[in-house]
Amino acid sequence: GAEPWHTTHVTEGEWDPVKNAAADEIVLANVASIPPERVKELERLVSNGAGLMIFCGELMDTTSYNDRLYADGKGLLPAKLDGAVDGPVNGLVVESVQNSPLDLLSKIAPAALANVRINRYMSVDDPKNSADVRVLARWNNSQSAPAVIEKRFGRGRVLLCTVTADKAWSDWPIDPSFVLATRAA
């Protein structure tokens, strides 16, 4: 009966710290750069329990993200961004990780996830799984490149998805597994 999702789309100029404080989840989708004051605000929100999903894309300034959000592993970003890599890649492989927000995808037949087509993805330094950072899914290519990485940050979590949230880099956003993944996350 209750509304499962209530979304508010805002641009940088419309960012309102008071309204954002009430958000359960913040999604950054192909955002070019995050100013230092916004980084501090995001760190505070996530540390207090909010979720943050970051989707990569062409607009991203990887140097800025690495400096401000990765911060040598101490920031919000779960992995250092290397740059966009052209595919093609066929498929997504869900890692067997305890209490993963992507557990629901492990119940889907691997053949169905193999149908996801990736034309481009953001290459990242492959993080070593730890108490705070873990790879939840990988692309089905020879590098087994990370597709979704999670980082615990205070009481909150950050998910980095190495493709766009739209069809610019892949057809995953139009696949039912994408809806399941984002909703479960």
Side-chain angles (χ1 to χ4, degrees), residues 48-88:
N48 288 336
L52 175 63
M53 292 179 78
I54 301 171
F55 288 91
C56 295
E58 294 293 333
L59 298 178
M60 290 180 80
D61 177 353
T62 57
T63 301
S64 172
Y65 270 77
N66 287 334
D67 290 346
R68 295 178 186 163
L69 286 142
Y70 182 66
D72 292 323
K74 297 176 183 82
L76 290 166
L77 204 58
K80 184 176 180 185
L81 306 177
D82 290 332
V85 174
D86 290 326

Side-chain angles (χ1 to χ4, degrees), residues 53-58 60 77-85 89 92 118-127 135 137-139 141 144-150 159-165 169-170 172 178:
M53 292 179 78
I54 301 171
F55 288 91
C56 295
E58 294 293 333
M60 290 180 80
L77 204 58
K80 184 176 180 185
L81 306 177
D82 290 332
V85 174
V89 175
L92 177 71
I118 308 304
N119 299 318
R120 184 165 240 220
Y121 65 91
M122 181 65 69
S123 176
V124 298
D125 282 355
D126 199 340
V135 177
R138 294 182 179 277
W139 300 120
N141 61 3
S144 295
V148 181
I149 309 166
E150 175 189 55
L159 287 183
L160 172 64
C161 187
T162 61
V163 293
T164 58
W169 285 9
S170 76
W172 194 28
F178 181 81

Side-chain angles (χ1 to χ4, degrees), residues 25-29 51-55 157-160 181-182 185:
E25 180 80 21
I26 298 167
V27 178
L28 302 177
L52 175 63
M53 292 179 78
I54 301 171
F55 288 91
R157 293 182 187 190
V158 179
L159 287 183
L160 172 64
T182 54

Side-chain angles (χ1 to χ4, degrees), residues 74-149:
K74 297 176 183 82
L76 290 166
L77 204 58
K80 184 176 180 185
L81 306 177
D82 290 332
V85 174
D86 290 326
V89 175
N90 295 321
L92 177 71
V93 178
V94 178
E95 296 285 294
S96 178
V97 179
Q98 187 176 12
N99 298 320
S100 169
L102 300 184
D103 273 343
L104 192 56
L105 292 185
S106 65
K107 295 172 183 20
I108 296 174
L113 293 175
N115 290 329
V116 174
R117 302 287 180 254
I118 308 304
N119 299 318
R120 184 165 240 220
Y121 65 91
M122 181 65 69
S123 176
V124 298
D125 282 355
D126 199 340
K128 304 298 180 233
N129 284 353
S130 68
D132 293 329
V133 178
R134 58 197 188 153
V135 177
L136 304 179
R138 294 182 179 277
W139 300 120
N140 189 22
N141 61 3
S142 60
Q143 296 82 23
S144 295
V148 181
I149 309 166

